[in-house]
Amino acid sequence: MYQPFVLALLRNPRQVGAVAPSGPLLARAMADAAEPAGKRILEIGPGTGVITEALLDRGAPRDELYLLERDVTLAAFLGRKFPDINIIVGDARTISNLISPDHAGNFDVIVSSLPLLNMKEADKVSILKQFFTLLGPDGALIQYTYSARAPIAPALATRCGLRGTRMSTVFRNLPPARVWKYDRDQGPIGQ
Ligand SMILES: C[S@@+](CC[C@H](N)C(=O)[O-])C[C@H]1O[C@@H](n2cnc3c(N)ncnc32)[C@H](O)[C@@H]1O
């Protein structure tokens, strides 16, 4: 589990954005916030698949679960670990080009491990617009952060028409993490 993560970290520390895979308690907290049973789910930046496992344990339907991972070596690792799950190799910044347009508005939840705080503002805005185009009207984005601050700055969330709610704090994770949920506050994002 650790070896593929450490190799990815050495290849691109900024892109991985963490010193260790998500711990089991953080993975469970993400799955609790996602309430995955019976839902169509897109997981972004699954890394070594720790959160994927928690989503499956909590009833995520295997044929309705899609993983998007940018690191090709981690994506290959995920393919061996979850041979029956849809894996897309690519960058979340261009996700609209990677997923069939038939999926627009079709996902119930997006579960993200993206290192958002390391990203440029313009990339965050673009990613959030694309995510909320893929999500249905009641869809939600679940995102964790190691920061005491929200993973999406309140001003940016407001600008994008999103409402952020802190769902839990996981102290027994390295480092401690907070799980946030974002949903639409004022109708579809970008309108
Ligand atoms: C903090 S690590 C994920 C940890 C993961 N939850 C685990 O336990 O292994 C962030 C992950 O997001 C991926 N990632 C970073 N930027 C990305 C992007 N723009 N598009 C897709 N995946 C990205 C990294 O390759 C890495 O696997």
Side-chain angles (χ1 to χ4, degrees), residues 40 64 66 95-107 133-136:
R40 176 169 283 198
E64 300 275 35
Y66 292 74
I95 191 166
S96 310
N97 301 332
L98 302 169
I99 286 201
S100 156
D102 299 345
H103 284 303
N106 257 346
F107 285 97
T133 300
L134 291 169
L135 285 166

PDB file of all heavy atoms in Angstrom, residues 40 64 66 95-107 133-136:
ATOM      1  N   ARG A  40     -24.351   6.892  -7.639  1.00  0.00           N
ATOM      2  CA  ARG A  40     -23.346   6.936  -8.710  1.00  0.00           C
ATOM      3  C   ARG A  40     -22.244   7.888  -8.252  1.00  0.00           C
ATOM      4  O   ARG A  40     -22.510   9.067  -7.976  1.00  0.00           O
ATOM      5  CB  ARG A  40     -23.979   7.420 -10.007  1.00  0.00           C
ATOM      6  CG  ARG A  40     -22.950   7.562 -11.105  1.00  0.00           C
ATOM      7  CD  ARG A  40     -23.575   7.777 -12.432  1.00  0.00           C
ATOM      8  NE  ARG A  40     -24.083   6.528 -12.952  1.00  0.00           N
ATOM      9  CZ  ARG A  40     -24.378   6.319 -14.227  1.00  0.00           C
ATOM     10  NH1 ARG A  40     -24.250   7.295 -15.089  1.00  0.00           N
ATOM     11  NH2 ARG A  40     -24.820   5.155 -14.627  1.00  0.00           N
ATOM     12  N   GLU A  64     -21.227   1.495 -10.550  1.00  0.00           N
ATOM     13  CA  GLU A  64     -21.577   2.921 -10.603  1.00  0.00           C
ATOM     14  C   GLU A  64     -20.461   3.783 -10.009  1.00  0.00           C
ATOM     15  O   GLU A  64     -20.663   4.942  -9.701  1.00  0.00           O
ATOM     16  CB  GLU A  64     -22.863   3.185  -9.801  1.00  0.00           C
ATOM     17  CG  GLU A  64     -24.068   2.428 -10.291  1.00  0.00           C
ATOM     18  CD  GLU A  64     -24.786   3.126 -11.433  1.00  0.00           C
ATOM     19  OE1 GLU A  64     -24.100   3.763 -12.267  1.00  0.00           O
ATOM     20  OE2 GLU A  64     -26.011   3.037 -11.481  1.00  0.00           O
ATOM     21  N   TYR A  66     -16.707   5.370 -10.400  1.00  0.00           N
ATOM     22  CA  TYR A  66     -15.692   5.760 -11.382  1.00  0.00           C
ATOM     23  C   TYR A  66     -14.533   6.406 -10.633  1.00  0.00           C
ATOM     24  O   TYR A  66     -14.751   7.244  -9.748  1.00  0.00           O
ATOM     25  CB  TYR A  66     -16.265   6.785 -12.381  1.00  0.00           C
ATOM     26  CG  TYR A  66     -17.320   6.194 -13.285  1.00  0.00           C
ATOM     27  CD1 TYR A  66     -18.596   5.919 -12.811  1.00  0.00           C
ATOM     28  CD2 TYR A  66     -17.036   5.907 -14.611  1.00  0.00           C
ATOM     29  CE1 TYR A  66     -19.553   5.356 -13.635  1.00  0.00           C
ATOM     30  CE2 TYR A  66     -17.997   5.350 -15.448  1.00  0.00           C
ATOM     31  CZ  TYR A  66     -19.246   5.083 -14.947  1.00  0.00           C
ATOM     32  OH  TYR A  66     -20.198   4.523 -15.766  1.00  0.00           O
ATOM     33  N   ILE A  95     -11.499  17.207 -16.805  1.00  0.00           N
ATOM     34  CA  ILE A  95     -12.379  16.046 -16.623  1.00  0.00           C
ATOM     35  C   ILE A  95     -13.534  16.012 -17.632  1.00  0.00           C
ATOM     36  O   ILE A  95     -13.952  14.936 -18.065  1.00  0.00           O
ATOM     37  CB  ILE A  95     -12.901  15.977 -15.168  1.00  0.00           C
ATOM     38  CG1 ILE A  95     -13.587  14.641 -14.942  1.00  0.00           C
ATOM     39  CG2 ILE A  95     -13.778  17.144 -14.807  1.00  0.00           C
ATOM     40  CD1 ILE A  95     -13.855  14.308 -13.523  1.00  0.00           C
ATOM     41  N   SER A  96     -14.018  17.165 -18.061  1.00  0.00           N
ATOM     42  CA  SER A  96     -15.140  17.177 -19.009  1.00  0.00           C
ATOM     43  C   SER A  96     -14.763  16.488 -20.318  1.00  0.00           C
ATOM     44  O   SER A  96     -15.629  15.951 -21.005  1.00  0.00           O
ATOM     45  CB  SER A  96     -15.575  18.598 -19.351  1.00  0.00           C
ATOM     46  OG  SER A  96     -15.766  19.315 -18.197  1.00  0.00           O
ATOM     47  N   ASN A  97     -13.467  16.531 -20.658  1.00  0.00           N
ATOM     48  CA  ASN A  97     -13.038  15.880 -21.906  1.00  0.00           C
ATOM     49  C   ASN A  97     -12.777  14.391 -21.710  1.00  0.00           C
ATOM     50  O   ASN A  97     -12.580  13.669 -22.679  1.00  0.00           O
ATOM     51  CB  ASN A  97     -11.724  16.505 -22.423  1.00  0.00           C
ATOM     52  CG  ASN A  97     -11.866  17.976 -22.673  1.00  0.00           C
ATOM     53  OD1 ASN A  97     -12.964  18.441 -22.963  1.00  0.00           O
ATOM     54  ND2 ASN A  97     -10.777  18.714 -22.548  1.00  0.00           N
ATOM     55  N   LEU A  98     -12.731  13.957 -20.448  1.00  0.00           N
ATOM     56  CA  LEU A  98     -12.355  12.568 -20.167  1.00  0.00           C
ATOM     57  C   LEU A  98     -13.570  11.684 -19.926  1.00  0.00           C
ATOM     58  O   LEU A  98     -13.484  10.471 -20.008  1.00  0.00           O
ATOM     59  CB  LEU A  98     -11.440  12.515 -18.923  1.00  0.00           C
ATOM     60  CG  LEU A  98     -10.149  13.337 -19.012  1.00  0.00           C
ATOM     61  CD1 LEU A  98      -9.473  13.428 -17.654  1.00  0.00           C
ATOM     62  CD2 LEU A  98      -9.214  12.671 -20.023  1.00  0.00           C
ATOM     63  N   ILE A  99     -14.682  12.320 -19.605  1.00  0.00           N
ATOM     64  CA  ILE A  99     -15.898  11.574 -19.263  1.00  0.00           C
ATOM     65  C   ILE A  99     -16.933  11.834 -20.339  1.00  0.00           C
ATOM     66  O   ILE A  99     -17.074  12.960 -20.807  1.00  0.00           O
ATOM     67  CB  ILE A  99     -16.393  12.031 -17.881  1.00  0.00           C
ATOM     68  CG1 ILE A  99     -15.475  11.446 -16.814  1.00  0.00           C
ATOM     69  CG2 ILE A  99     -17.827  11.672 -17.627  1.00  0.00           C
ATOM     70  CD1 ILE A  99     -16.062  11.381 -15.449  1.00  0.00           C
ATOM     71  N   SER A 100     -17.651  10.804 -20.702  1.00  0.00           N
ATOM     72  CA  SER A 100     -18.669  10.956 -21.749  1.00  0.00           C
ATOM     73  C   SER A 100     -19.681  12.039 -21.349  1.00  0.00           C
ATOM     74  O   SER A 100     -20.117  12.094 -20.192  1.00  0.00           O
ATOM     75  CB  SER A 100     -19.387   9.616 -21.926  1.00  0.00           C
ATOM     76  OG  SER A 100     -20.653   9.823 -22.470  1.00  0.00           O
ATOM     77  N   PRO A 101     -20.079  12.894 -22.337  1.00  0.00           N
ATOM     78  CA  PRO A 101     -21.064  13.937 -22.013  1.00  0.00           C
ATOM     79  C   PRO A 101     -22.376  13.344 -21.487  1.00  0.00           C
ATOM     80  O   PRO A 101     -23.138  14.022 -20.794  1.00  0.00           O
ATOM     81  CB  PRO A 101     -21.296  14.653 -23.349  1.00  0.00           C
ATOM     82  CG  PRO A 101     -20.258  14.156 -24.285  1.00  0.00           C
ATOM     83  CD  PRO A 101     -19.619  12.925 -23.718  1.00  0.00           C
ATOM     84  N   ASP A 102     -22.599  12.050 -21.751  1.00  0.00           N
ATOM     85  CA  ASP A 102     -23.825  11.389 -21.234  1.00  0.00           C
ATOM     86  C   ASP A 102     -23.863  11.419 -19.705  1.00  0.00           C
ATOM     87  O   ASP A 102     -24.924  11.272 -19.107  1.00  0.00           O
ATOM     88  CB  ASP A 102     -23.876   9.913 -21.653  1.00  0.00           C
ATOM     89  CG  ASP A 102     -23.904   9.760 -23.153  1.00  0.00           C
ATOM     90  OD1 ASP A 102     -24.161  10.770 -23.826  1.00  0.00           O
ATOM     91  OD2 ASP A 102     -23.671   8.637 -23.626  1.00  0.00           O
ATOM     92  N   HIS A 103     -22.694  11.568 -19.090  1.00  0.00           N
ATOM     93  CA  HIS A 103     -22.646  11.544 -17.627  1.00  0.00           C
ATOM     94  C   HIS A 103     -23.000  12.892 -16.997  1.00  0.00           C
ATOM     95  O   HIS A 103     -23.118  12.980 -15.773  1.00  0.00           O
ATOM     96  CB  HIS A 103     -21.252  11.134 -17.142  1.00  0.00           C
ATOM     97  CG  HIS A 103     -20.978   9.667 -17.281  1.00  0.00           C
ATOM     98  ND1 HIS A 103     -21.778   8.712 -16.710  1.00  0.00           N
ATOM     99  CD2 HIS A 103     -20.008   9.004 -17.935  1.00  0.00           C
ATOM    100  CE1 HIS A 103     -21.296   7.517 -16.989  1.00  0.00           C
ATOM    101  NE2 HIS A 103     -20.230   7.660 -17.743  1.00  0.00           N
ATOM    102  N   ALA A 104     -23.129  13.941 -17.817  1.00  0.00           N
ATOM    103  CA  ALA A 104     -23.410  15.272 -17.231  1.00  0.00           C
ATOM    104  C   ALA A 104     -24.676  15.205 -16.390  1.00  0.00           C
ATOM    105  O   ALA A 104     -25.714  14.699 -16.838  1.00  0.00           O
ATOM    106  CB  ALA A 104     -23.550  16.311 -18.335  1.00  0.00           C
ATOM    107  N   GLY A 105     -24.585  15.705 -15.184  1.00  0.00           N
ATOM    108  CA  GLY A 105     -25.735  15.740 -14.280  1.00  0.00           C
ATOM    109  C   GLY A 105     -26.110  14.388 -13.703  1.00  0.00           C
ATOM    110  O   GLY A 105     -27.142  14.250 -13.049  1.00  0.00           O
ATOM    111  N   ASN A 106     -25.263  13.387 -13.948  1.00  0.00           N
ATOM    112  CA  ASN A 106     -25.627  12.012 -13.577  1.00  0.00           C
ATOM    113  C   ASN A 106     -25.032  11.518 -12.273  1.00  0.00           C
ATOM    114  O   ASN A 106     -25.456  10.495 -11.758  1.00  0.00           O
ATOM    115  CB  ASN A 106     -25.157  11.055 -14.677  1.00  0.00           C
ATOM    116  CG  ASN A 106     -26.302  10.624 -15.544  1.00  0.00           C
ATOM    117  OD1 ASN A 106     -27.447  10.831 -15.157  1.00  0.00           O
ATOM    118  ND2 ASN A 106     -25.999  10.057 -16.684  1.00  0.00           N
ATOM    119  N   PHE A 107     -24.002  12.207 -11.776  1.00  0.00           N
ATOM    120  CA  PHE A 107     -23.363  11.697 -10.556  1.00  0.00           C
ATOM    121  C   PHE A 107     -24.081  12.236  -9.319  1.00  0.00           C
ATOM    122  O   PHE A 107     -24.566  13.371  -9.303  1.00  0.00           O
ATOM    123  CB  PHE A 107     -21.883  12.090 -10.523  1.00  0.00           C
ATOM    124  CG  PHE A 107     -21.049  11.263 -11.462  1.00  0.00           C
ATOM    125  CD1 PHE A 107     -20.736  11.733 -12.722  1.00  0.00           C
ATOM    126  CD2 PHE A 107     -20.622   9.996 -11.092  1.00  0.00           C
ATOM    127  CE1 PHE A 107     -19.990  10.961 -13.608  1.00  0.00           C
ATOM    128  CE2 PHE A 107     -19.878   9.210 -11.972  1.00  0.00           C
ATOM    129  CZ  PHE A 107     -19.561   9.698 -13.227  1.00  0.00           C
ATOM    130  N   THR A 133     -21.119  20.414 -12.950  1.00  0.00           N
ATOM    131  CA  THR A 133     -21.833  20.069 -14.187  1.00  0.00           C
ATOM    132  C   THR A 133     -22.067  18.554 -14.228  1.00  0.00           C
ATOM    133  O   THR A 133     -23.103  18.086 -14.728  1.00  0.00           O
ATOM    134  CB  THR A 133     -21.008  20.510 -15.418  1.00  0.00           C
ATOM    135  OG1 THR A 133     -20.822  21.917 -15.324  1.00  0.00           O
ATOM    136  CG2 THR A 133     -21.709  20.194 -16.721  1.00  0.00           C
ATOM    137  N   LEU A 134     -21.129  17.799 -13.697  1.00  0.00           N
ATOM    138  CA  LEU A 134     -21.282  16.336 -13.681  1.00  0.00           C
ATOM    139  C   LEU A 134     -22.263  15.881 -12.615  1.00  0.00           C
ATOM    140  O   LEU A 134     -22.879  14.816 -12.739  1.00  0.00           O
ATOM    141  CB  LEU A 134     -19.914  15.672 -13.442  1.00  0.00           C
ATOM    142  CG  LEU A 134     -18.913  15.796 -14.596  1.00  0.00           C
ATOM    143  CD1 LEU A 134     -17.520  15.353 -14.159  1.00  0.00           C
ATOM    144  CD2 LEU A 134     -19.375  14.957 -15.778  1.00  0.00           C
ATOM    145  N   LEU A 135     -22.396  16.669 -11.549  1.00  0.00           N
ATOM    146  CA  LEU A 135     -23.296  16.283 -10.451  1.00  0.00           C
ATOM    147  C   LEU A 135     -24.741  16.659 -10.785  1.00  0.00           C
ATOM    148  O   LEU A 135     -24.996  17.682 -11.416  1.00  0.00           O
ATOM    149  CB  LEU A 135     -22.878  17.009  -9.164  1.00  0.00           C
ATOM    150  CG  LEU A 135     -21.620  16.483  -8.474  1.00  0.00           C
ATOM    151  CD1 LEU A 135     -21.122  17.491  -7.429  1.00  0.00           C
ATOM    152  CD2 LEU A 135     -21.875  15.123  -7.820  1.00  0.00           C
ATOM    153  N   GLY A 136     -25.672  15.843 -10.307  1.00  0.00           N
ATOM    154  CA  GLY A 136     -27.084  16.179 -10.426  1.00  0.00           C
ATOM    155  C   GLY A 136     -27.426  17.345  -9.503  1.00  0.00           C
ATOM    156  O   GLY A 136     -26.592  17.793  -8.705  1.00  0.00           O
TER     157      GLY A 136
END
